[in-house]
């Protein structure tokens, strides 16, 4: 898959709408692989912005002044123009990202700029790797992006709500070939029959009970549920009649959501707005109208044409029947050629783990991820003590295409590799990736930053060889590239899984500083202890490093200080500091000195902290800054005298020694 | 040379027609539980019933067909429909609850008459309904050509049920008639319950609900106990060859074979149960295959073939969606069509078949080859075995050999003619595949021996007599 603009964009025959959306896909794809300031990404971004500007002035792209990009079955529409979605292309890849973030499209106006595009894209890509799939739209998209309005992917079945008239017959969506819904009478009968189905009846009864609890009658609750069923029936196309399981699922899911809402409120059932019903149905829609559902409906529609049962006719029982005769002697001879079975021979393979792992892996990569949750637990259990065969099998799902170099083959690989590695990493099984030979250190360097996060997950805590390998890879990649890529490696949840910071930072490798910084900035307070421990372990002979020893509790060190400290290390400024001498007094980083002052003041009256405070003072005394001077004067004054009066004599003397400098 | 004895035509012809009619009734009741009565599938079934009834009445030269129901059997012309009764729990049970002695179908019955009947028989709650109110319901729905019969009472003479037959059925001692299946002593109730369970499973799957796996395990245990206590009767079920519309019979037979095979391999009882359950559910994915494909009798198109093949994936999905399902059953549902070289469903990895899956696979193929289908002749066990031996890479040769030894070319419970003309029933297999242990039951002229004259002969140690012919009669007509 090539994230650069494809050649087809450059021909003038291609409509602007197609060029625009393909530029969009190219940009997002490149951003997924390279950091923001990478040349390729910047070039794609510039190309996208150029097309957007052109689009604002184009009547087809922006008939009302804004550019609407929306998803439709089989195509992406830009304004009035539909751009075909072909499987395996960047556009298809983009579509999957939008869908997973609950977006049906975007509305872009002339206020859009590079920053808003980058921020939107960053969030889009981060969300794709998230594990939680049951978040609401509002939870996912909390920020606003200038010039970009997000369109929620509401339930729309085979046609949108506003295309239905009161009789319930719709013309279907423009360009989709249309699909009629059930007529009034059929719909009424369907609703009546559905209400008698056990799973639905029990839910309607429950709604009635909730209504009664809220002081209404049971009939009101019942009618509320029936109203919802009726409105869903209005949205269903006739093809769905061949998939009763899907109808049941959708209705039960809708009723469950309504029930859940009512249980949390004290109010009784209230009329539900169309838009809310749509949102409610969206959660269940993919069972019916996901790719499989639509295909299933289409297949059933085709087969429905031959609903007549024809009379059976005889035909031979088997292709080889004619040539096989009933001869007992031949039969005995055939049997004797077969090897006999020792009764215990098959005990080992009776219930084969490899077979089961294979089946579950097949579904892991081929099922929609929500359904996959049901098999995660089983697969984890089977892989607790995997044998060589299971590891090899896992390797099969991670292996790159060898003979087939097509875009489709590579996309397929990315998909299954992503699913498999995500599963393994999430369940502390990433080590299998290397065991299976699917992740060679050379590959990690060559394809950096791809696979780097996965590689980190494969490392075993305390393993010296793993530590060496990590160090070598970071060296070869280089600090600059590592520093650039680390912030984009993965989201917080993935980085903090299974004690990854503790593992990676257990080796005192300066090369891993960018990784440590990423842990800290993304992992928050949880990451601070292992980061501090790591920094301490580096054994840096630096003034700033001394501070790490002053604070025994890593949570006492502010994140800001640590980030700043690591920044100094990364940018090389530490060299300058190490060459400095205490006198003449040299300016100390302001924020560092403030940190020390804050610490000293906060712990002033604490006998347990006296030693550390003294140490801090000693440290501070090496540098003369405005803050340190002020503090030391205070300490030298009355406050310090009061302080000293409470400490043991040895401490007192030590402190006075220090203050002699001043 | 072993020969097969084919069923006689003529006398059984009418009852064969009625059996098909009853089978279609079962199909219609099952379909209406899954779909809605206006669904094309249901409508097709109802149209078939209307036409089938018309044809039957024409052939029988009568205006009315009375289908009796008593003691777990359906009756026509005072004769029990043994075969049709096995899959007719959904007809028998509601009639029993409302106290009806059967159903009367009159000439001119239309779809509009059958619909209320279907609705009545598929109701969940029938306890407060009796024959009178049932007929009242039918009349209120303008059903004029179908009604429920009054309860069967001995001595009344106006019932389609013969008193003496019911007496015999009630004591479970069957009076034998030529070529008819009383002598098979099939555990009818057990079979009906299992079929009913499979029907319910299909309806559940089609409705998007879960399977009752505990009930499945319970039925498997019951079958296994029957095999242990009375192998002849139990394995008779495996020879009930009647084709049923939803292939439940196939799954039950595969289960029987698998249990028998697994036992013979001296596997742990728990594992035997698991294999049995896996065999019973191996085709559960067919519930998601379009009906028209599943029951197509002509050559399948490429699309239809692909659709049919997908049942293996569907089956594994159905089981996987349930937390309590057995991974063994999932693997068996998924892989029972695969071979050592691959096959469907295609996976990225090279398939590995466990012994458990291989057992289900062998039993599945064997049953498919030897069972009756509307589109093919029946096949003798020996011929089926020879075909299976010729299918390279499909089966583990050691397992296949063991299966043949366990199953034999003369299945347990089947009737055979010996070389001396006597008729015997196979009691058990021996180490020589064509020389089982048999119970000699009848004289050369077909007269049965008295009980104290019947004898058991181990043909593997008695050279004087051998099996001449496997008798595959009209056992379930």
């Amino acid at each position: 898959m090539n994230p650069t603009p494809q050649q087809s964009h450059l021909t003038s025959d291609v409509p602007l709408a197609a060029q625009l959306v393909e530029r969009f896909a190219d940009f997002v794809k490149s951003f997924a692989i390279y950091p923001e300031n990478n040349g390729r990404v910047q070039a794609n971004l510039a190309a996208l912005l150029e097309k957007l500007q052109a689009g604002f002035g184009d009547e087809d792209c922006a008939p009302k002044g804004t550019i609407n990009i929306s998803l439709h079955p089989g195509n992406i529409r830009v304004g009035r123009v539909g751009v075909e979605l072909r499987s395996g292309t960047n556009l298809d890849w983009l579509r999957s990202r939008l869908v997973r973030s609950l977006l049906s499209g975007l509305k872009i106006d002339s206020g859009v700029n590079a920053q808003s595009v980058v921020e939107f894209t960053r969030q889009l890509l981060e969300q794709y790797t998230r594990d939680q799939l049951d978040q609401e739209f509002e939870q996912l998209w909390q920020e606003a992006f200038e010039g970009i309005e997000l369109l929620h992917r509401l339930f729309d079945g085979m046609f949108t709500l506003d295309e239905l008239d009161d009789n319930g017959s719709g013309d279907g969506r423009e360009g989709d070939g249309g699909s009629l819904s059930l007529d009034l009478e059929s719909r009424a009968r369907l609703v009546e029959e559905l209400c008698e189905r056990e799973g639905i009846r029990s839910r309607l009864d429950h709604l009635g009970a909730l209504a009664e609890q809220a002081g209404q009658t049971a009939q009101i609750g019942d009618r509320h549920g029936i109203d919802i069923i009726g409105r869903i029936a209005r949205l269903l196309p006739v093809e769905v009649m061949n998939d009763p399981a899907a109808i049941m699922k959708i209705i039960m899911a809708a009723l469950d959501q309504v029930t859940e809402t009512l249980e949390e409120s004290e109010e009784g059932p209230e009329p539900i707005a169309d838009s809310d019903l749509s949102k409610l149905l969206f959660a269940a829609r993919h069972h019916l109208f996901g790719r499989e559902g639509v295909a299933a409906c289409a297949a059933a529609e085709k087969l429905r044409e031959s609903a007549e049962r024809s009379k059976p006719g005889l035909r031979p029982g088997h292709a080889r029947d004619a040539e096989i005769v009933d001869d007992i002697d031949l039969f005995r001879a055939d049997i004797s050629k077969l090897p006999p079975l020792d009764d215990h021979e098959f005990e080992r393979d009776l219930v084969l783990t490899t077979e089961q792992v294979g089946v579950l892996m097949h579904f892991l990569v081929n099922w929609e991820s929500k359904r996959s949750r049901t098999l995660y637990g089983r697969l984890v259990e089977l892989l607790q003590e995997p044998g060589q065969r299971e590891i090899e099998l896992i390797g099969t799902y991670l292996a790159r295409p060898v003979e087939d170099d097509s875009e489709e083959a590579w996309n397929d690989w990315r998909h299954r590799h992503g699913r498999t590695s995500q599963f393994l990493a999430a369940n502390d099984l990433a080590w299998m990736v290397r065991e299976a030979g699917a992740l060679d250190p050379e590959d990690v360097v060559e394809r950096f930053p791809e696979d780097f996060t996965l590689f980190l997950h494969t490392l075993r805590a305390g393993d010296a060889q793993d530590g060496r390998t990590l160090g070598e890879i970071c060296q070869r990649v280089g600090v600059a590239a590592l520093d650039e890529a680390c912030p984009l490696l993965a989201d917080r949840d993935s980085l903090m899984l299974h004690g990854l910071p503790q593992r990676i930072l257990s080796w005192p490798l300066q090369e891993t500083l960018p990784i440590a910084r990423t842990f800290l900035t993304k992992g928050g307070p949880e990451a601070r202890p292992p980061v501090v421990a790591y920094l301490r372990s580096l054994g840096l002979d630096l003034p700033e490093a001394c501070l790490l020893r002053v604070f025994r509790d890593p949570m006492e060190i502010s994140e800001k200080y640590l980030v700043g400290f690591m920044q100094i290390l990364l940018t090389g400024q530490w060299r300058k500091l190490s060459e400095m001498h205490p006198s003449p007094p040299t300016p100390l980083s302001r924020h560092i000195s403030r940190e020390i002052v804050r610490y000293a003041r906060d712990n002033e009256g604490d006998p347990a902290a006296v030693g550390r405070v003294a140490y801090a003072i000693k440290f501070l005394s090496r540098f003369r800054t405005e803050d340190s001077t002020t503090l030391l004067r205070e300490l030298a004054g009355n406050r310090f005298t009061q302080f000293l009066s409470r400490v043991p004599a040895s401490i007192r003397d030590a402190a006075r020694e220090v203050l002699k400098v001043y | 040379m072993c020969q097969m004895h084919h069923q006689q035509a003529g006398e059984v012809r009418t009852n064969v027609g009625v059996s098909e009619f009853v089978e279609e009734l079962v199909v219609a009741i099952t379909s209406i539980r899954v779909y809605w009565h206006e669904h094309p599938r249901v409508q097709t079934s109802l149209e078939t019933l209307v036409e089938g009834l018309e044809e039957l009445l024409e052939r029988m030269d009568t205006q009315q067909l009375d289908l009796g129901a008593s003691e777990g059997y359906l009756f026509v012309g005072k004769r029990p429909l043994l075969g049709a009764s096995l899959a007719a729990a959904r007809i028998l049970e509601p009639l029993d609850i409302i106290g009806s002695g059967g159903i009367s179908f009159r000439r001119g019955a239309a779809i509009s008459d059958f619909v209320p009947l279907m609705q009545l028989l598929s109701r969940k709650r029938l306890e407060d309904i009796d024959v009178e109110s049932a007929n009242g319901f039918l009349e209120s729905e303008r059903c004029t050509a179908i009604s429920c019969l009054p309860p069967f009472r001995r001595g009344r003479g106006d019932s389609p049920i013969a008193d003496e037959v019911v007496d015999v059925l009630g004591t479970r001692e069957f009076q034998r008639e030529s070529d008819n299946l009383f002598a098979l002593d099939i555990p009818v109730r057990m079979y009906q319950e299992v079929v009913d369970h499979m029907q319910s499973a299909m309806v559940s799957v089609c409705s998007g609900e879960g399977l009752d796996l505990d009930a499945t395990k319970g039925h498997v245990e019951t079958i296994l106990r029957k095999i242990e206590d009375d192998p002849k009767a139990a394995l008779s079920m495996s020879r009930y060859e009647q084709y049923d519309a939803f292939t439940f019979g196939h799954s039950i037979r595969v289960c029987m074979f698998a249990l028998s095979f697994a036992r013979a391999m001296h596997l742990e009882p728990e594992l035997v149960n698991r294999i049995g359950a896996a065999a019973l559910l191996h085709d559960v994915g067919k519930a998601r295959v379009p009906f028209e494909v599943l029951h197509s009798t002509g050559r399948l198109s490429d699309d239809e073939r692909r659709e049919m093949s997908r049942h293996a994936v569907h089956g594994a999905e159905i089981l996987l969606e349930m937390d309590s399902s057995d991974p063994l059953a999932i693997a068996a549902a998924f892989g029972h069509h695969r071979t050592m070289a691959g096959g469907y469903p295609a996976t990225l990895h090279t398939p590995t078949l466990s012994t458990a899956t291989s057992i289900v696979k062998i039993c599945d193929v064997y049953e498919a080859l030897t069972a009756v289908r509307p589109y093919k002749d029946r096949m003798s066990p020996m011929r089926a075995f020879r075909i299976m031996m010729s299918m390279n890479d499909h089966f583990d040769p050691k397992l296949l050999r063991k299966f043949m030894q366990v199953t034999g070319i003369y299945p347990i419970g089947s009737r055979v003619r010996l070389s001396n003309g006597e008729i015997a029933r196979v009691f058990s297999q021996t180490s020589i595949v064509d020389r089982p242990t048999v119970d000699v039951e009848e004289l050369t002229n077909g007269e049965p021996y008295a009980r104290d004259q019947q004898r058991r002969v181990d043909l593997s140690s008695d050279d004087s007599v051998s099996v001449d012919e496997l008798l595959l009669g009209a056992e379930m007509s």
Side-chain angles (χ1 to χ4, degrees), chain A residues 483 513 517 562-573:
Chain A
D483 197 29
L513 259 172
R517 191 174 63 176
L562 290 169
V563 171
F565 178 47
M566 285 193 279
Q567 184 64 24
I568 291 172
L569 292 177
L570 278 168
T571 56
Q573 290 177 14

Side-chain angles (χ1 to χ4, degrees), chain B residues 51-62:
Chain B
E51 285 172 19
L53 177 65
E54 201 52 42
E55 202 179 301
L56 258 180
L57 295 176
E58 188 68 36
R59 200 184 323 140
M60 291 163 71
D61 192 23
T62 178

Side-chain angles (χ1 to χ4, degrees), chain A residues 82-103:
Chain A
V83 181
E84 190 191 350
L85 268 177
R86 278 173 292 117
S87 168
T89 58
N90 277 356
L91 267 184
D92 191 38
W93 180 93
L94 174 65
R95 183 203 62 81
S96 67
R97 267 70 189 162
L98 292 172
V99 166
R100 193 167 163 98
S101 298
L102 306 184
L103 293 172

Side-chain angles (χ1 to χ4, degrees), chain B residues 181-199:
Chain B
L181 205 47
F182 281 113
L184 263 190
D185 192 19
I186 286 181
V188 173
R189 292 268 188 240
M190 186 171 83
Y191 193 94
Q192 283 177 335
E193 282 169 10
V194 179
V195 169
D196 192 48
H197 169 72
M198 298 296 286
Q199 286 174 347

Side-chain angles (χ1 to χ4, degrees), chain B residues 16-36:
Chain B
V16 167
V18 172
S19 292
E20 287 174 346
F21 178 74
V22 169
E23 183 194 302
E24 196 60 44
L25 261 179
V26 172
V27 168
I29 294 170
T30 308
S31 298
I32 214 168
R33 289 172 66 201
V34 177
Y35 304 100
W36 297 276

Side-chain angles (χ1 to χ4, degrees), chain B residues 140-446:
Chain B
S140 71
E141 296 293 315
R142 299 207 182 94
C143 169
T144 55
I146 300 177
S147 56
C148 294
L149 295 171
F152 166 70
R153 288 204 180 88
R154 285 182 181 76
R156 273 182 60 160
D158 59 349
S159 165
I161 304 169
D163 293 356
E164 62 275 18
V165 174
V166 171
D167 289 340
V168 167
L169 291 174
T171 60
R172 294 185 68 80
E173 284 175 10
F174 299 110
Q175 182 180 358
R176 193 181 70 78
E177 293 184 19
S178 60
D179 291 332
N180 128 348
L181 205 47
F182 281 113
L184 263 190
D185 192 19
I186 286 181
V188 173
R189 292 268 188 240
M190 186 171 83
Y191 193 94
Q192 283 177 335
E193 282 169 10
V194 179
V195 169
D196 192 48
H197 169 72
M198 298 296 286
Q199 286 174 347
S200 297
M202 199 206 79
V203 170
S204 293
V205 169
C206 289
S207 303
E209 293 161 18
L211 294 171
D212 186 349
L213 292 176
D214 286 337
T216 302
K217 284 175 198 162
H219 285 298
V220 171
E221 278 168 18
T222 304
I223 296 173
L224 188 57
R225 268 201 302 278
K226 192 69 183 178
I227 290 177
E228 287 165 359
D229 298 340
D230 191 355
K232 222 164 54 174
L235 288 171
S236 296
M237 280 187 3
S238 70
R239 294 189 300 108
Y240 169 49
E241 297 147 339
Q242 183 68 28
Y243 170 67
D244 66 272
F246 293 100
T247 73
F248 301 134
H250 164 72
S251 296
I252 295 170
R253 285 188 290 278
V254 173
C255 174
M256 302 291 309
F257 288 132
L259 285 172
S260 175
F261 188 17
R263 276 188 73 240
M265 287 178 70
H266 307 295
L267 301 181
E268 294 289 326
E270 194 209 327
L271 187 53
V272 172
N273 275 338
R274 290 173 69 191
I275 291 173
L280 197 58
L281 295 173
H282 78 283
D283 270 348
V284 69
K286 286 186 177 173
R288 288 189 181 164
V289 173
F291 190 89
E292 296 76 9
V293 173
L294 196 60
H295 301 292
S296 171
T297 53
R299 187 173 287 281
L300 294 177
S301 68
D302 288 345
D303 281 346
E304 288 169 337
R305 199 173 300 114
R306 261 191 295 275
E307 206 48 56
M308 178 67 102
S309 302
R310 283 178 58 79
H311 82 272
V313 175
H314 289 317
E317 285 178 344
I318 290 165
L319 294 171
L320 204 44
E321 283 164 5
M322 304 189 59
D323 289 337
S324 56
S325 57
D326 186 352
L328 186 156
I330 298 170
F334 187 84
H336 70 276
H337 283 296
R338 306 191 90 191
T339 69
M340 309 301 184
Y344 188 84
T347 58
L348 201 59
H349 63 276
T350 307
T352 350
L353 296 187
S354 63
T355 303
T357 301
S358 299
I359 288 174
V360 173
K361 184 178 165 62
I362 287 173
C363 298
D364 180 34
V365 172
Y366 176 73
E367 198 286 329
L369 288 173
T370 56
V372 166
R373 293 285 188 271
Y375 48 81
K376 76 170 183 70
D377 293 329
R378 71 178 78 214
M379 185 182 292
S380 70
M382 181 167 65
R383 187 176 283 246
F385 287 146
R386 293 200 68 214
I387 287 177
M388 290 170 77
M389 281 190 277
S390 73
M391 292 162 71
N392 297 330
D393 292 332
H394 275 250
F395 310 108
D396 183 286
K398 294 182 181 180
L399 272 179
L400 183 59
R401 177 169 179 162
K402 184 72 178 182
F403 177 73
M404 289 190 288
Q405 284 168 343
V406 168
T407 309
I409 59 174
Y410 308 116
I412 292 175
S414 59
R415 292 170 71 230
V416 294
R417 188 188 304 284
L418 301 177
S419 53
N420 61 7
E422 291 175 309
I423 306 295
R425 192 175 292 279
V426 177
F427 172 75
S428 66
Q429 305 298 332
T430 67
S431 57
I432 304 176
V433 71
D434 60 322
R435 302 187 72 81
T437 299
V438 298
D439 290 332
V440 184
E441 295 178 342
E442 296 170 31
L443 291 159
T444 53
N445 60 4

Side-chain angles (χ1 to χ4, degrees), chain A residues 15-45:
Chain A
L16 177 60
Q19 294 186 42
L20 192 159
V21 78
E22 283 174 6
R23 283 279 190 269
F24 186 19
D26 292 343
F27 164 68
V28 177
K29 193 67 197 285
S30 61
F31 200 10
I33 298 172
Y34 304 104
E36 181 188 335
N37 57 3
N38 179 275
R40 202 169 287 183
V41 173
Q42 290 297 316
N44 284 340
L45 176 60

